[in-house]
Amino acid sequence: MSNIEKIFSLKGKTAIVTGAGSGMGRRFAATLADAGATVICAARQKARIEEVAAEINKAGGKAFAVVCDVSSTDSVEQLFDQAQTLSGGLVNVLVNSAAQLDFSPFPAVTDESWQNLINTNLSGTMRTCRALSTRLIQAGKPGSIVNITSVTGEQVMMGIPIYGALKAAVNQLTRSMARDMFDQRIRCNAIAPGYFQTEMVSGYFETEAGQADIARLPLKRVGDVSELDGALLLLASDAGSYINGHILSVDAGQVIQLL
């Protein structure tokens, strides 16, 4: 193994990926496993994460499926307890990919949607970060948190006010956690993807409005989830050992074009 391969390697690490049943989370789980990590695939739908874990194991990686609802503190704590039992060690990498999306323009925002998205997209992220950090600090061990935010946390997009506001909040939470834990050797960073082809938004890109948005993008196309591999491995591995409190945009220049 070359020195470059070594610094990007996650061999000996245990990683939790929330939202691992589909979309970006599914890709993240496979990528971390390919880099050598034991991966805990977490999501609410058991069948989906079991399928993801089975694919990873078949490909020669090591993965387990654990049902978790990040909107529940008890469920999150149980996730980390099970992950430690299954892997035989502490979780030291966390990728927060679980999220919900609501296509309701303002002021057509309901209290139910507002609360649901806060509880998953923001509070859920806080819960998993807290669970990881508490355990690592108690053990005196380092770790890496990678939160998945969005260009909508920086650039206003029409029709998704709740989602955008919460992604901006996760950006600030990420920076704040990094600052509070400078002395704990727990790095906290985020990836802010632009427009990517995932199950959550695939229907939109097929609409007239979606096609118009694609035509305005710098590369005139949406991203493929494989194009997030490099950013993920940089922030999760020792290759990013001096990167902390950073929001890494992966958007082909979408934000700077629209500013």
Side-chain angles (χ1 to χ4, degrees):
M1 182 183 291
S2 69
N3 287 334
I4 293 298
E5 289 173 318
K6 285 180 182 177
I7 63 171
F8 281 96
S9 173
L10 293 172
K11 187 176 181 180
K13 305 288 188 182
T14 296
I16 285 179
V17 179
T18 69
S22 63
M24 292 181 185
R26 185 174 191 141
R27 177 71 187 194
F28 296 151
T31 299
L32 295 177
D34 197 36
T38 295
V39 179
I40 310 299
C41 305
R44 291 180 299 176
Q45 297 186 37
K46 183 179 180 180
R48 285 200 168 195
I49 54 175
E50 286 181 340
E51 179 183 340
V52 174
E55 289 178 355
I56 290 172
N57 291 325
K58 184 177 180 180
K62 187 175 182 180
F64 301 95
V66 177
V67 175
C68 177
D69 181 356
V70 297
S71 69
S72 164
T73 296
D74 287 344
S75 184
V76 168
E77 292 297 325
Q78 290 168 13
L79 164 65
F80 278 82
D81 289 343
Q82 287 182 259
Q84 186 168 340
T85 298
L86 291 168
S87 67
L90 281 172
V91 175
N92 31 41
V93 176
L94 170 64
V95 180
N96 275 309
S97 188
Q100 293 184 14
L101 181 59
D102 181 274
F103 289 103
S104 297
F106 201 83
V109 172
T110 67
D111 285 351
E112 181 180 10
S113 289
W114 177 255
Q115 292 300 331
N116 284 342
L117 264 69
I118 286 179
N119 208 12
T120 297
N121 298 10
L122 180 57
S123 298
T125 297
M126 182 280 295
R127 290 185 186 100
T128 55
C129 290
R130 180 178 61 191
L132 175 80
S133 301
T134 299
R135 287 164 171 77
L136 289 177
I137 291 171
Q138 288 174 346
K141 299 294 185 180
S144 177
I145 293 171
V146 183
N147 292 324
I148 308 304
T149 63
S150 168
V151 292
T152 62
E154 181 177 351
Q155 175 66 49
V156 175
M157 302 290 180
M158 291 181 62
I160 50 172
I162 309 176
Y163 185 80
L166 294 177
K167 289 303 186 182
V170 172
N171 284 345
Q172 187 65 5
L173 176 64
T174 300
R175 298 184 185 105
S176 297
M177 291 189 303
R179 182 64 186 88
D180 283 352
M181 296 192 292
F182 271 173
D183 297 333
Q184 307 298 339
R185 296 182 301 156
I186 300 172
R187 295 185 297 110
C188 304
N189 295 289
I191 297 173
Y195 285 175
F196 277 77
Q197 188 66 256
T198 65
E199 294 176 29
M200 185 182 289
V201 293
S202 60
Y204 171 71
F205 291 135
E206 296 172 1
T207 67
E208 184 176 345
Q211 288 295 309
D213 277 350
I214 292 174
R216 288 191 290 268
L217 294 176
L219 297 183
K220 311 303 179 187
R221 67 171 178 85
V222 297
D224 183 87
V225 289
S226 65
E227 293 176 292
L228 294 166
D229 290 354
L232 176 67
L233 292 178
L234 171 65
L235 298 181
S237 72
D238 289 342
S241 59
Y242 209 62
I243 302 173
N244 198 14
H246 183 66
I247 314 301
L248 176 57
S249 294
V250 183
D251 63 0
Q254 179 180 344
V255 167
I256 59 173
Q257 178 195 49
L258 295 174
L259 288 175

